[in-house]
Amino acid sequence: MRSRMLSRCCATTAAVVLSTVLLPVAGAHATASTPKVTKATKDAFGRVADNVITDRTAVLIDGAKAARTSLKPTGGVKLSAAQKSAEDTKLKALRATKSRLAGLGEAYTSADTKVAVDSTAVKGTKATVKVTEATTLKYKKIRGDEPTSTGFEAHHVLTFTASNGAWQLTAMRSTDGGAPRINDPVAPAANAKPSRTPMAVIDAPKAATTWPAPANAKTLNGGKYNYQAMATYTEKYWKNYNTAYRKYNSLGGDCTNYLSQGLLAGGWQQISKVTPEEYDTWYYASNGNADAWTGVNEWSWFTQTAKRTTPLANVYQLDVGDVMQMDFNRDGEKDHSMMTTYRSSSGVPYLTYHDADTYRRSVASLIASYPTANYYAYRT
């Protein structure tokens, strides 16, 4: 989130029940303007969502030439012409992402997507369907030291419209904050007007994104902090949230709140005593928390000014327990926070974060999705 606000980014799902019954949208005595939505119709809504997301993910798979399942009507439900065109555009952008990934030495061998329908609300000829996506992609062993997989949970809202007795998908959007998933490309952001940094704090410099990076080794155990404990905590709660903490997803994003929890688990000490300086506290309490606990920019200002972190020159120097932040539209305000929870022996960091809840996504994947963003790397 923007400065002086909570950070922007920063239930176990079940597979959609597949129905083999193809039912018309309206009952025998219903009209096209007031269609009846049955259980079979709701199942079809979920399967259409599953097909669309599966098609997006399939484009990223190495050597995949799978037929697009979303082009065929499912249970009497199909994509509108405009939505087909929108999906064509997304698939084209994802092919470009896949090409950039290949240039960075990354690919996926397979993927699995499951979609659960969370709710369906019908009003007249409109049906609003909320779904949760759970996707896992297996890394191709290119360098040989990649982790097994990366995964994420994401949330989407779909709009279906009844026309001439049939339902059509007419709109679909993601509702998570932070960095969009690897299978959900975004249009390049235009440069925004640079913002001002408070004069009382130290801002972090941008980091390079070239690989390989100069060596910058880090001792993981036996020092002041337990970096492995930070990573263990972060990977434990990446999708099943720790109920001891409040969630901030609907208040601008949970990414920095989650990051702070991991740092605390590794030995960072809280500071709650207020002084005249700006952003000089970092704490969580039952009745509130410091801005730096939840705010992306505030966290950066606090940690740099208090010398809790030192900047790294290159994102590929990140090691376990280190932090990466991103400024998507290059306006000088950071938008998203992530922790490094795995580093391959060949020097590729993998990040875990909330919004959307993501496990071991590589730095290369983020760079491929956001080639023009500004990146910030912190040694903790």
Side-chain angles (χ1 to χ4, degrees):
M1 170 161 296
R2 301 299 177 176
S3 62
R4 301 179 185 270
M5 297 176 65
L6 294 180
S7 73
R8 167 179 301 187
C9 49
C10 75
T12 303
T13 61
V16 175
V17 178
L18 299 183
S19 171
T20 58
V21 182
L22 305 183
L23 297 179
V25 71
H29 304 290
T31 66
S33 61
T34 56
K36 181 179 179 182
V37 176
T38 65
K39 181 180 183 300
T41 311
K42 293 179 180 180
D43 289 343
F45 289 159
R47 284 185 288 153
V48 168
D50 194 306
N51 290 342
V52 169
I53 297 170
T54 297
D55 283 352
R56 294 178 185 177
T57 309
V59 171
L60 298 168
I61 305 305
D62 190 50
K65 295 182 179 179
R68 287 178 60 184
T69 56
S70 63
L71 295 180
K72 299 179 180 179
T74 301
V77 182
K78 63 181 181 179
L79 273 64
S80 67
Q83 194 61 31
K84 285 182 180 178
S85 177
E87 289 304 313
D88 288 342
T89 300
K90 279 192 175 286
L91 295 181
K92 181 179 179 180
L94 284 168
R95 292 187 186 97
T97 299
K98 180 182 178 181
S99 178
R100 289 192 294 271
L101 270 173
L104 295 169
E106 181 167 309
Y108 311 111
T109 59
S110 63
D112 177 68
T113 292
K114 293 181 174 63
V115 172
V117 176
D118 301 320
S119 66
T120 302
V122 182
K123 185 176 181 180
T125 58
K126 299 284 186 182
T128 301
V129 181
K130 296 181 179 181
V131 303
T132 296
E133 167 198 1
T135 291
T136 301
L137 298 101
K138 290 188 176 181
Y139 286 110
K140 184 176 182 179
K141 297 296 183 179
I142 296 176
R143 297 185 176 95
D145 56 2
E146 294 85 350
T148 302
S149 63
T150 179
F152 57 86
E153 287 193 353
H155 305 86
H156 309 271
V157 174
L158 296 85
T159 301
F160 293 88
T161 304
S163 177
N164 298 321
W167 287 102
Q168 295 184 358
L169 174 63
T170 53
M172 181 174 177
R173 62 183 176 86
S174 298
T175 59
D176 299 295
R181 284 56 58 200
I182 184 65
N183 65 354
D184 189 15
V186 293
N191 281 330
K193 183 178 179 181
S195 59
R196 293 183 178 181
T197 298
M199 295 183 65
V201 301
I202 299 174
D203 202 12
K206 293 187 288 291
T209 58
T210 53
W211 187 90
N216 196 330
K218 175 181 181 179
T219 301
L220 297 183
N221 298 306
K224 184 177 181 180
Y225 302 120
N226 187 334
Y227 297 109
Q228 192 56 57
M230 293 178 183
T232 298
Y233 178 95
T234 303
E235 293 194 344
K236 179 179 180 180
Y237 294 108
W238 75 270
K239 64 176 179 178
N240 298 315
Y241 286 35
N242 186 348
T243 57
Y245 293 93
R246 293 181 292 276
K247 297 179 181 180
Y248 290 85
N249 308 79
S250 62
L251 300 173
D254 197 65
C255 68
T256 309
N257 173 49
Y258 180 49
L259 169 67
S260 292
Q261 294 171 35
L263 294 168
L264 183 66
W268 271 34
Q269 297 298 309
Q270 299 188 62
I271 300 176
S272 58
K273 183 179 179 180
V274 178
T275 71
E277 298 297 329
E278 285 189 289
Y279 310 112
D280 58 353
T281 59
W282 180 80
Y283 68 89
Y284 178 93
S286 59
N287 61 346
N289 53 261
D291 289 345
W293 182 277
T294 53
V296 181
N297 292 285
E298 291 85 347
W299 181 90
S300 175
W301 296 334
F302 162 74
T303 63
Q304 288 285 281
T305 305
K307 302 188 184 306
R308 286 282 182 98
T309 62
T310 55
L312 293 169
N314 191 300
V315 296
Y316 281 100
Q317 294 174 325
L318 290 162
D319 209 333
V320 172
D322 288 338
V323 174
M324 188 173 85
Q325 294 185 318
M326 294 175 63
D327 172 7
F328 299 132
N329 62 352
R330 306 180 301 281
D331 66 351
E333 294 194 15
K334 303 163 190 68
D335 302 299
H336 187 48
S337 303
M338 299 158 278
M339 179 177 284
T340 307
T341 58
Y342 181 83
R343 179 181 169 87
S344 68
S345 59
S346 59
V348 178
Y350 294 79
L351 303 144
T352 300
Y353 54 89
H354 279 176
D355 292 339
D357 305 337
T358 298
Y359 172 80
R360 290 191 179 184
R361 183 174 182 179
S362 73
V363 162
S365 168
L366 288 156
I367 295 171
S369 294
Y370 287 93
T372 61
N374 285 339
Y375 292 81
Y376 302 84
Y378 305 83
R379 172 62 43 87
T380 59

